[in-house]
Amino acid sequence: MDVTTPANAPWLVVGLGNPGSEYAMNRHNVGFMVADLLAGRIGGKFKRAGKTQAQVVEGRIGPPGPANRRVILAKPMSYMNLSGGPVNALRDFYQVPVANIVAVHDELDIDYGTLRLKLGGGDNGHNGLKSLTKAMGADYHRVRFGIGRPPGRMQVADFVLKDFSSAERKELDYFVDRAADAVECLVIEGLERAQSTYNS
């Protein structure tokens, strides 16, 4: 954790995706899937946060005591390429340091189901990250969920907006569960521990 970040500062965990049932099982929406699972774990239901373009669940994760963390789970309702505005509004509203923001998103350059956690960096052409970075700088955490590259000559935009294949869906629940575990580990125990446990 950044030395300037108060130990009791809340965490904002943002699942990136597109709103609407037609996008629900798209590869691009894996961030929403992880956020939904985390919300279930803390016993909350997503609801609109005031006047923001986002749905949120507030709760706590971690064991009782100093490792217990206040967490706001969020799903921007603005579509992927405009995620930065709603997330920045939530950051201001809940007074979350940028170092306590975690974006969970799909990643083309990693094999399906593989996780990589990092702090800061580029957007690698990901429109959600591009929007977040434009709105608040790049110094937020990322939980990158590998979806692999498109087959053959399929365009990237078509690939990410397609549902996971039937073969991929056989393992999807397991991988989403593992990504949720990685988020919890990052928030409770820090980036280094989470990387050593979940990066592959």
Side-chain angles (χ1 to χ4, degrees):
M1 185 181 291
D2 189 299
V3 290
T4 60
T5 302
N8 61 349
W11 284 77
L12 175 60
V13 177
V14 181
L16 293 181
N18 288 308
S21 56
E22 69 270 35
Y23 300 107
M25 290 304 296
N26 286 182
R27 294 182 177 93
H28 224 18
N29 268 46
V30 74
F32 274 19
M33 297 174 199
V34 175
D36 285 336
L37 180 58
L38 286 166
R41 288 184 181 183
I42 64 174
K45 282 194 171 14
F46 278 99
K47 59 181 186 294
R48 186 74 69 163
K51 296 180 178 178
T52 68
Q53 276 188 293
Q55 292 185 352
V56 302
V57 172
E58 296 181 57
R60 302 191 78 87
I61 63 171
N68 192 261
R69 302 278 185 259
R70 181 176 169 226
V71 173
I72 299 101
L73 306 174
K75 296 192 295 186
M77 293 286 112
S78 57
Y79 291 98
M80 180 69 86
N81 59 354
L82 298 172
S83 300
V87 174
N88 211 28
L90 292 173
R91 176 177 77 100
D92 289 344
F93 181 76
Y94 289 105
Q95 296 187 301
V96 180
V98 174
N100 277 26
I101 295 174
V102 182
V104 186
H105 64 92
D106 58 303
E107 178 63 64
L108 285 160
D109 286 337
I110 303 174
D111 289 342
Y112 173 60
T114 299
L115 295 177
R116 298 273 168 76
L117 287 78
K118 63 185 282 196
L119 173 63
D123 56 60
N124 206 22
H126 192 288
N127 288 331
L129 296 182
K130 198 174 291 183
S131 182
L132 291 185
T133 298
K134 184 177 178 184
M136 59 190 189
D139 294 329
Y140 53 92
H141 289 87
R142 300 104 190 274
V143 175
R144 305 156 73 206
F145 186 110
I147 60 170
R149 301 293 306 183
R153 297 187 177 183
M154 184 186 290
Q155 294 295 311
V156 164
D158 294 333
F159 179 69
V160 299
L161 292 175
K162 278 198 177 345
D163 288 358
F164 285 101
S165 69
S166 55
E168 288 170 333
R169 281 199 296 273
K170 289 175 183 173
E171 294 183 293
L172 183 60
D173 287 349
Y174 168 76
F175 289 140
V176 169
D177 193 68
R178 192 165 182 272
D181 290 346
V183 171
E184 291 184 344
C185 184
L186 168 61
V187 170
I188 297 165
E189 301 187 63
L191 178 61
E192 196 172 314
R193 178 63 183 269
Q195 286 176 325
S196 67
T197 306
Y198 293 98
N199 276 16
S200 47

